[in-house]
Amino acid sequence: VRDSQQRVVILRGANYSGLEFGNFLGRPHGPEEADFAQMESWGFNVIRLPIAWSYLEPMPNQFDESYLDEQVDPVVDFAARHGIVVVLEMHQFQWSPCLDGNGAPAWICDGHDYSNDVAGQQQAACDFFRGTKAPDGRSLMDHFVDVWRLVAHHYAGDRRIAGFDFFNEPIAYTCLPIGVFEHDVLDPFYRRIRTVVQDEGAEQTFFFCPSITRNAGLPTLIEPMGPNVVYAPHLYTETFGY
């Protein structure tokens, strides 16, 4: 990563979780500016800020920018006041509130009988990446792209935002081979989102999260996505023993 004078920038920071779980401003465990003062004292200059699709499109084709205005923007302000830039990341953990997780809106479960366990979460993820339709007849992936269009429009030209991480830990290993998933589904999907984001005037860096299988130490078959891209896997090597 280089700045406008082509000097190498070392990013030091951490995830700043909460907004994806609904831990909003003023609630117990919600964001506080004091957190950023503490991170500044540690020498942090970046946070990865997870947000969630479910708050941005609570019903199909009904977009709610107030989540960005009222919850995300104040946290971005906290960070900026302490010299910290933000990587916005669209999070999923256990896929959706309808499956006791977060990320995709609960309406993605409408018309499906997903079991409320890991198997159901994995099936919902597979359905998403295999083009399952939303209740309005458009694909869930189309809706996800629309949400990124909203986010990109909101933050176009905003120098407090260092980059965008389009999807936390894409998961489809129970239904698609790794190579097929990354080459035929994930790479084209990322390119599509990136085009939409750039068309909205948002030129921030793309932080590329590969398939979740890379986190376990398995190889990745991604294609080059440059320029202005950071490869951003989550290497849980201690957890999986690699």
Side-chain angles (χ1 to χ4, degrees):
V1 178
R2 294 181 180 271
D3 66 12
S4 59
Q5 299 178 50
Q6 294 303 303
R7 297 174 299 187
V8 173
V9 176
I10 304 299
L11 298 177
R12 297 184 177 89
N15 282 298
Y16 189 75
S17 242
L19 296 184
E20 77 277 34
F21 289 98
N23 295 338
F24 292 161
L25 289 157
R27 296 184 185 178
H29 312 296
E32 297 181 0
E33 185 168 356
D35 298 337
F36 292 86
Q38 185 174 46
M39 287 188 282
E40 181 184 21
S41 75
W42 293 337
F44 284 9
N45 60 8
V46 65
I47 61 163
R48 179 176 182 260
L49 183 62
I51 60 176
W53 174 14
S54 61
Y55 300 111
L56 291 162
E57 192 183 11
M59 296 297 293
N61 299 311
Q62 295 180 14
F63 299 98
D64 187 358
E65 198 167 354
S66 67
Y67 173 63
L68 301 178
D69 292 329
E70 298 171 8
Q71 301 300 330
V72 181
D73 283 351
V75 176
V76 174
D77 283 339
F78 291 162
R81 287 201 286 268
H82 294 276
I84 296 171
V85 295
V86 172
V87 175
L88 282 177
E89 175 262 318
M90 201 70 73
H91 204 73
Q92 67 81 22
F93 174 72
Q94 299 179 348
W95 201 254
S96 172
C98 62
L99 296 165
D100 289 338
N102 66 51
W107 51 260
I108 64 102
C109 284
D110 292 352
H112 299 278
D113 58 352
Y114 299 129
S115 56
N116 195 7
D117 53 19
V118 172
Q121 295 156 13
Q122 291 175 337
Q123 184 60 54
C126 281
D127 284 351
F128 176 87
F129 283 114
R130 289 191 295 190
T132 289
K133 303 296 184 182
D136 66 351
R138 300 172 63 227
S139 76
L140 294 173
M141 296 172 85
D142 288 343
H143 285 268
F144 190 83
V145 171
D146 287 345
V147 165
W148 266 113
R149 181 180 288 108
L150 174 70
V151 174
H153 180 79
H154 191 88
Y155 290 108
D158 191 332
R159 295 178 65 85
R160 301 170 304 169
I161 305 298
F164 301 120
D165 187 339
F166 294 154
F167 206 108
N168 180 64
E169 300 183 344
I171 177 172
Y173 64 85
T174 60
C175 56
L176 293 168
I178 297 172
V180 171
F181 174 54
E182 292 196 325
H183 184 267
D184 294 350
V185 180
L186 189 60
D187 284 0
F189 189 44
Y190 277 164
R191 292 181 191 279
R192 180 183 174 195
I193 298 171
R194 196 173 184 209
T195 296
V196 164
V197 166
Q198 291 175 332
D199 285 348
E200 291 297 324
E203 297 292 339
Q204 289 93 332
T205 298
F206 169 31
F207 284 72
F208 184 110
C209 187
S211 169
I212 194 172
T213 48
R214 181 69 184 101
N215 305 354
L218 300 177
T220 185
L221 300 170
I222 59 171
E223 298 177 353
M225 288 274 175
N228 199 23
V229 175
V230 171
Y231 178 52
H234 308 165
L235 297 179
Y236 300 141
T237 51
E238 295 288 333
T239 303
F240 292 98
Y242 291 96

